[in-house]
Amino acid sequence: MDDDITIKENISKLKEWIAESENIVFFGGAGVSTESGIPDFRSVDGLYNQKWSYPPETILSHSFFEANPAEYYRFHREKLVIEGVKPNVTHLRLAELEQEGKLKAVVTQNIDGLHQAAGSKNVLELHGSILRAYCSKCGKPASADLINYGTDLPRCECGGVLRPDIVLYEEPLDESIMRKSINAIRNADIMIVGGTSLNVYPAAGLINYYRGSKLVLINRSETPYDSYADLTIHTNLGKVFSAI
Ligand code: ZN
């Protein structure tokens, strides 16, 4: 984290840029939702090791889901579905900026639907959403309640196993979402990147499409991309978004 004076100066700078812009794109990672109480599933706690026989990246893979859907759903319902979460100040301020005509798109790696819950309309969900489900056999959409709650293996009328509309490991990203994200980033005059250490594909790649001169990185710790940024703010997202 930076010292308070530096943080304050950087936030003022960002505020000036936002005041002059009508074409902002926000790109967010897990850190956007952790401030709503959604843990990053990659964070390994002691409890985790006792309860699961596989790392999260294995359980959340296409081949694991196919081979062992019951164990997948035990993990999904316990680690991905968090009761009572609400959008935080970052989600809410981003939704306002969109309503004010300043923000054109939110590109997110999160699968929790909190940007839409805050009122954002143009949300590009790179990894899908656990608030949508469909049949892995016939493709028919189904209620997300069936996959997120209960203890049974959720099934379609056709007998196929239901699955969340998220991108599992080993699966390709949705091409149309990628295309829309690239377009939004290419045309943006401000790109704000927050809550990601930029290590997870495709985050780093998407930044390369930005052509402007106002790339803003907000993250508690330094990232390998800090030197590419025109402004870096090392603090909590909530602190920044409650001040802009
Ligand atoms: Zn079906």
Side-chain angles (χ1 to χ4, degrees):
M1 298 239 264
D2 291 335
D3 64 79
D4 282 348
I5 295 168
T6 309
I7 290 170
K8 222 173 162 180
E9 283 172 1
N10 287 340
I11 291 174
S12 299
K13 184 90 199 160
L14 176 58
K15 209 172 164 178
E16 279 169 32
W17 286 357
I18 289 173
E20 293 161 1
S21 177
E22 290 181 343
N23 197 344
I24 304 165
V25 167
F26 179 80
F27 180 95
V32 177
S33 292
T34 49
E35 291 179 25
S36 282
I38 297 182
D40 184 352
F41 70 81
R42 290 179 197 84
S43 65
V44 177
D45 51 36
L47 205 61
Y48 177 86
N49 287 323
Q50 290 162 26
K51 286 179 81 174
W52 309 98
S53 316
Y54 305 91
E57 287 81 0
T58 303
I59 299 175
L60 295 172
S61 70
H62 180 84
S63 50
F64 190 91
F65 179 84
E66 295 276 299
N68 200 344
E71 181 68 355
Y72 169 85
Y73 273 113
R74 192 167 76 89
F75 182 90
H76 177 102
R77 286 160 173 161
E78 186 169 330
K79 298 294 277 189
L80 302 188
V81 181
I82 312 293
E83 279 300 320
V85 289
K86 291 195 179 77
N88 61 51
V89 65
T90 302
H91 298 105
L92 295 167
R93 184 68 186 120
L94 286 167
E96 276 178 9
L97 288 169
E98 183 184 59
Q99 279 150 24
E100 291 165 15
K102 292 184 160 296
L103 184 116
K104 296 301 176 205
V106 169
V107 181
T108 181
Q109 297 179 297
N110 298 333
I111 56 175
D112 49 44
L114 286 179
H115 286 293
Q116 291 92 334
S120 283
K121 303 286 180 233
N122 192 23
V123 183
L124 300 165
E125 298 173 307
L126 292 171
H127 295 158
S129 173
I130 60 165
L131 301 183
R132 295 187 299 270
Y134 64 93
C135 173
S136 61
K137 195 172 162 194
C138 74
K140 193 177 161 190
S143 160
D145 285 350
L146 296 171
I147 59 161
N148 291 337
Y149 303 104
T151 50
D152 294 343
L153 187 59
R155 286 191 185 276
C156 174
E157 296 149 7
C158 82
V161 177
L162 297 180
R163 60 163 289 170
D165 188 5
I166 61 174
V167 179
L168 296 169
Y169 287 94
E170 303 163 354
E171 293 178 340
L173 296 169
D174 183 304
E175 273 181 43
S176 131
I177 302 284
M178 271 300 270
R179 214 169 26 242
K180 286 177 188 164
S181 302
I182 289 169
N183 261 330
I185 290 167
R186 226 179 228 157
N187 295 314
D189 58 29
I190 301 180
M191 180 172 183
I192 305 174
V193 180
T196 170
S197 53
L198 296 169
N199 294 318
V200 182
Y201 176 83
L206 279 172
I207 282 192
N208 293 331
Y209 289 99
Y210 177 65
R211 298 183 294 192
S213 57
K214 290 171 182 164
L215 175 62
V216 185
L217 296 192
I218 308 169
N219 206 51
R220 285 175 63 86
S221 50
E222 290 183 5
T223 77
Y225 285 80
D226 282 7
S227 57
Y228 294 91
D230 302 293
L231 183 62
T232 56
I233 311 179
H234 291 136
T235 188
N236 304 334
L237 279 168
K239 186 167 178 171
V240 177
F241 277 87
S242 54
I244 58 173

